Amino acid sequence: MTGDLGPTDSDLPLAGIRVIDLTVVWSGPGATALLGDMGAEVIRVEGNNRVSRQVSATVTKESFEKTGYHGGTYPDKDPGARPYDRSALFNWHARNKLAACMNLDAPEGHQAFLDLVAVSDVLVENNSAGVLEKLGIPHERLLEINPRLVVARMPPLGLSGPISDYLGYGPNFNSLVGIAAMDGYEGEEPDSAGENYHMDEAAPAGLAFAVSAALWDREETGVGGLIEFAQAETVMAEVGEFFLDHQVNHRDPVVLGNTDPWMVQDVLQVLGEDRWVAVSIRDDRDWAALHTVDGLGGAPGLPAPDADGATRREHSAAIREVLADWCRDRTADDVVSTLQALGIPAGEVLDERQVLDDPHLAERGWWQERSHPSVGTHRYPGHPWRSADVELAHGRPLPGFGEDNEHVYLGVLGYDRETYDDLVARGLVTDHQLA
């Protein structure tokens, strides 16, 4: 690739690897973003007759105002003429990617996709089980075309089993793997804290690792193969201690909210509108230090400085009430600086504006300012990890829909100009989404 299309550093770990991105929503695009960070050439394949970026071409400023939060994440709250390029949800995981228009349910688009499979190294898709089969491109067929291809499929519940055909989003599957049963405010019913998308958050890094391992294996064997990455099983591995506790001790996790079963921990309100701090008393040292704070040492309701961990856990609610009273009339800076000076973990719960202005992230250069004609200039989230050996890629922030059609059809697939122009003339290859 050249210019601003994406990474050009041949020293990046995945330089020379081409990835077909057939993903939607969050977990799949997040995974291919990580592969692009490591230098892979990631090509999003999108049909102009489908909504692949979660945004319809028909949305208007008037219509999105009725949809609440998700509808308001356009620059200046304006969908503009190309809303599918401008949503924040798509923008955050679209870095370092190319975009080519291929309608998989049209013979010409179907063939172009198979031609791309023949010259690629990896395909990633996170659709529900059976979608590739319905499109006539099951992984068995793709591996026949290109035996060196690594096909990474991310069905929520796997490709087999009695409920593998369930459809839904992350919060739905949280209910099937136990997370929803422990997700709520302390003392309240599960789900009282609102929905979360832990499955989408957990999957990208795991999938990127699995693909990297498969490519490493291919170096030894010469062949690719199938990665079946059941996202719900990935989440279950992250809460494995609760499954073991149920089996060994016959205990079900209780709804703890911001508290902790072992430490004295909570999120407490301070002076100001909707301002909060998180505080943790981890051990005997933190506990002794807490007793040296003016207004807390010897406070009624606070166990003695030599109280052990079991006593602190037994009186956790009363201790946290004392802390809440102490925090209520103080600023976040006062609480945090006082406790941190004593080595007690404390930090303000920041909103998005505060995170953008956070001096720690600024000093580390985590935010990456990038520009694109469709969205303007903004700061984008940086990489989730860094290495002393390589500088990860962070090139073009997003591909406009079909922005790289010519590069892919003429350069990657080797189509001649006449054939390409014919596809464009017939509306089969476009640079704008119709659906």
Side-chain angles (χ1 to χ4, degrees):
M1 289 181 285
T2 59
D4 64 351
L5 291 180
T8 58
D9 190 342
S10 60
D11 294 330
L12 287 169
L14 295 185
I17 297 296
R18 178 173 295 134
V19 178
I20 302 173
D21 182 335
L22 206 60
T23 64
V24 294
V25 191
W26 183 342
S27 61
T32 52
L34 297 179
L35 298 176
D37 291 349
M38 293 189 285
E41 180 190 60
V42 180
I43 301 175
R44 279 190 63 81
V45 172
E46 301 170 303
N48 61 16
N49 56 349
R50 295 178 181 273
V51 176
S52 68
R53 302 182 177 191
Q54 276 197 294
V55 175
S56 169
T58 63
V59 70
T60 65
K61 191 170 184 177
E62 291 71 27
S63 65
F64 89 77
E65 289 175 346
K66 302 177 181 177
T67 64
Y69 173 78
H70 289 295
T73 57
Y74 302 103
D76 302 320
K77 298 184 179 180
D78 185 356
R82 297 174 63 90
Y84 37 85
D85 289 350
R86 290 170 59 82
S87 78
L89 178 58
F90 177 73
N91 267 244
W92 87 259
H93 55 57
R95 61 183 181 267
N96 302 319
K97 297 183 182 180
L98 309 178
C101 175
M102 296 178 189
N103 294 344
L104 299 184
D105 47 4
E108 296 84 352
H110 193 89
Q111 184 57 52
F113 177 78
L114 297 182
D115 293 340
L116 184 58
V117 165
V119 295
S120 296
D121 300 281
V122 178
L123 181 146
V124 180
E125 65 96 7
N126 67 320
N127 303 283
S128 55
V131 167
L132 290 193
E133 286 72 16
K134 292 176 182 176
L135 290 170
I137 49 174
H139 60 263
E140 294 90 346
R141 185 183 182 199
L142 303 180
L143 292 171
E144 287 178 2
I145 295 170
N146 181 357
R148 286 179 55 81
L149 187 70
V150 173
V151 181
R153 305 189 66 175
M154 304 171 69
L157 296 167
L159 293 172
S160 60
I163 59 174
S164 58
D165 60 347
Y166 276 24
L167 304 178
Y169 283 92
N172 307 125
F173 293 105
N174 280 349
S175 300
L176 293 178
V177 301
I179 288 182
M182 61 181 98
D183 182 24
Y185 290 115
E186 182 184 15
E188 299 185 12
E189 294 293 317
D191 80 11
S192 59
E195 64 186 28
N196 71 67
Y197 294 78
H198 189 66
M199 190 170 79
D200 292 273
E201 297 159 351
L207 192 283
F209 177 84
V211 168
S212 300
L215 290 171
W216 186 275
D217 180 71
R218 193 183 71 169
E219 291 297 305
E220 299 294 326
T221 65
V223 296
L226 171 67
I227 296 172
E228 183 186 359
F229 192 91
Q231 297 183 59
E233 294 173 5
T234 300
V235 177
M236 291 171 70
E238 296 197 349
V239 292
E241 69 269 33
F242 297 103
F243 292 104
L244 288 172
D245 193 34
H246 178 81
Q247 295 175 78
V248 175
N249 300 311
H250 309 293
R251 291 188 301 207
D252 291 325
V254 298
V255 178
L256 292 176
N258 294 314
T259 64
D260 186 88
W262 307 109
M263 297 185 290
V264 176
Q265 176 175 285
D266 212 338
V267 173
L268 308 164
Q269 192 160 21
V270 294
L271 274 179
E273 183 179 357
D274 200 24
R275 303 291 291 271
W276 302 81
V277 296
V279 178
S280 298
I281 311 299
R282 302 164 297 181
D283 50 27
D284 292 346
R285 195 203 64 79
D286 289 348
W287 181 246
L290 190 73
H291 272 271
T292 68
V293 176
D294 287 342
L296 286 176
L302 212 60
D306 61 351
D308 60 15
T311 301
R312 298 195 295 268
R313 287 194 292 275
E314 180 183 355
H315 297 279
S316 174
I319 295 170
R320 288 183 283 119
E321 187 59 37
V322 172
L323 280 170
D325 288 341
W326 182 78
C327 289
R328 191 167 292 118
D329 297 324
R330 290 172 168 78
T331 65
D333 288 343
D334 181 14
V335 171
V336 170
S337 61
T338 298
L339 297 182
Q340 285 191 355
L342 297 169
I344 298 172
E348 184 173 6
V349 180
L350 304 180
D351 61 23
E352 288 79 1
R353 184 182 299 277
Q354 289 173 296
V355 173
L356 282 166
D357 295 335
D358 185 74
H360 171 78
L361 294 174
E363 183 175 321
R364 289 176 57 78
W366 193 72
W367 297 106
Q368 302 284 319
E369 186 171 281
R370 293 292 185 272
S371 301
H372 189 277
S374 293
V375 293
T377 300
H378 303 280
R379 282 179 288 167
Y380 286 77
H383 302 298
W385 59 279
R386 61 181 66 190
S387 168
D389 299 323
V390 296
E391 185 69 29
L392 296 173
H394 203 309
R396 188 176 62 183
L398 75 148
F401 186 92
E403 186 170 351
D404 306 296
N405 285 337
E406 285 201 7
H407 172 76
V408 172
Y409 278 89
L410 302 181
V412 176
L413 302 183
Y415 283 25
D416 58 54
R417 171 60 71 176
E418 182 180 1
T419 300
Y420 175 74
D421 288 345
D422 177 64
L423 292 172
V424 172
R426 290 193 286 150
L428 294 170
V429 175
T430 65
D431 63 359
H432 55 279
Q433 180 181 304
L434 304 176

